[in-house]
Amino acid sequence: MATFAEDAEMRFVGVPAGPFHGREAILAAYLEQPPDDTMTIDSVTTDGATDRVRFRWDEGGAGTMTVTWRGDLVAVLEVAFD
């Protein structure tokens, strides 16, 4: 959680969760509903302060995490599932 900016936002596309505003809200969301699968990173592309990470869940399914950085901290994490 230390990697998230104090005012970070985490949002999901296509699933009824969030958005979560602030480091404490993001932590609470993970504690309430932690992931129950592991993922494999397929690719990472970078455009300025934004990384797009293609991933697949090891039990099936895939998606994209878009991470927007503010310096060394995550400002926005958006997760979209295919």
Side-chain angles (χ1 to χ4, degrees):
M1 290 310 306
T3 305
F4 283 89
E6 189 66 37
D7 63 344
E9 181 176 349
M10 180 174 70
R11 54 185 179 243
F12 294 87
V13 177
V15 295
F20 302 99
H21 302 279
R23 186 186 297 156
E24 293 302 317
I26 294 168
L27 175 60
Y30 271 104
L31 291 174
E32 283 181 30
Q33 194 171 16
D36 61 358
D37 193 3
T38 54
M39 66 172 60
T40 298
I41 304 301
D42 291 326
S43 66
V44 178
T45 58
T46 300
D47 183 9
T50 302
D51 292 331
R52 286 184 180 71
V53 181
R54 289 289 304 156
F55 68 89
R56 58 189 152 83
W57 292 108
D58 294 337
E59 292 184 9
T64 302
M65 291 187 294
T66 303
V67 183
T68 303
W69 297 91
R70 185 182 318 130
D72 292 337
L73 299 176
V74 175
V76 178
L77 171 60
E78 181 176 275
V79 182
F81 301 99
D82 297 347

